[in-house]
Amino acid sequence: MGENSRLVYWVKRLSEIALIGWLLLLLLIDVLLWASAPDGVGWLTSVCGGLGIAAVLRRRRHRVSDLRVLLVVSVLATLIIGSSGADGTPGLAETGALLILVVGGLRSIEPVRRASLFALATMVVLEISCARIPEASAGVAVGFLIFVGWSFAAGTGAYLRFQMERRREAVDSVRRAERLELARELHDLVAHHITGIVVQAQAAKVVAEQKPEAVVPSLEAIAGAGADALTSMRRLVGVLRAQDQAARSPGSTLMDMRTMVERFSSAGPQVAFEIGQGITDDTVAPEVMTTLHRVLQESLTNVRRHAPGTGWIEADLKLADRPDPDPWSGHVPWTGTTVRLKVRNYGSVTDARISRLGGGFGLVGMAERVEALGGRLLAGPTRSGAWEVMAEFPLRPETP
């Protein structure tokens, strides 16, 4: 399951290396141009280029502060070069770094008004740097080229921000839908527990008339049912109140999961569903059981929707002494017994017409539900060629 994560990681790393290498090549050109006709202050252009490369390297942690420093230094360098009467040009590395920072700033700086102000300030500084060129006509031509480059960078950054906002809104919509579903199903949980308490209270009343000594165990059962009801309601209502957590819905059982698998298998492809020893409806908390039911349901639905050529599916729900380490970092999220659901589909052939429609947010909804309960969800291809979805929850976490 870590193959995709590893591929994405190395693509990002190689892209970063190529970007920095490109900027270093531009800085080398700046240094060679100054060395071919050295003057008193021409080295300032190379200094600005070096600061620009440093700002690009640190842009994820110090984006705003480094960009602000680079803008100020660039303006000061232009004023010094212009007042000294030396010949100069806008630094290639400096210009490239500023354009890269424009793309990242428009995509990431919050709020969008602040990002826009930084982008406009960068354009002004870039145009001011053209004043280093003594010939007016050449300065105008270079200024026009820089404006074209800035426009392209600003358009790219704005498009990336638009896509990021769309993604964020879609994820928020999934979260709201999960919380609304919990709000509807919370009534079922309350009704289930309260009904049990009422039935036990009525039974205790009848027993009290015939066997008074048997009332105490009945009262203990009522107290236990009430405590379970309050615990489940607190956990679920806490999720409803949270603005950044996904909903959890109670009420599913192992029989519900078996019935769903049988119905799915009747229409194909076949599903082999195994429930390990030690797992019963009482072993796993109701909200965890229902989340496992939803993960299994969503996984099977995704197979039918996105991999119609699947040959067969394997699913298993088991207990484990410890959680699996993260497939990429090797980190173990917790210690203690864990309940683990794995769904794997083999022999799948992706339908090109379906692929062009793009993926939905089923995995997002599943991950939100699982993480809201303190678990984790991993999805991706296995080394054997299957696609696997794994949901894992701490069952009896140990105190470190």
Side-chain angles (χ1 to χ4, degrees), residues 254-287:
L254 291 175
M255 182 57 66
D256 295 329
M257 299 178 74
R258 289 189 180 277
T259 302
M260 178 181 61
V261 169
E262 291 174 359
R263 291 177 179 174
F264 183 90
S265 297
S266 63
Q270 294 297 311
V271 182
F273 183 42
E274 178 185 358
I275 298 178
Q277 294 183 351
I279 293 185
T280 64
D281 291 332
D282 297 328
T283 305
V284 184
E287 57 270 24

Side-chain angles (χ1 to χ4, degrees), residues 74 78 89-90 94-95 124-133 146:
S74 178
T78 300
T89 57
E94 173 189 0
T95 303
V124 172
V125 170
L126 286 171
E127 295 298 329
I128 289 176
S129 66
C130 296
R132 302 174 189 176
I133 303 175
I146 288 179

Side-chain angles (χ1 to χ4, degrees), residues 307-329:
T310 294
W312 73 98
I313 302 172
E314 291 181 356
D316 56 72
L317 181 62
K318 298 180 179 180
L319 296 178
D321 294 333
R322 61 188 299 274
D324 284 344
D326 185 270
W328 175 238
S329 66

Side-chain angles (χ1 to χ4, degrees), residues 42 117 122 175 193 256 299 322 343 368 395:
L117 289 176
T122 303
R175 290 176 174 174
H193 284 293
D256 295 329
S299 299
R322 61 188 299 274
V343 183
E368 291 297 327
L395 187 63

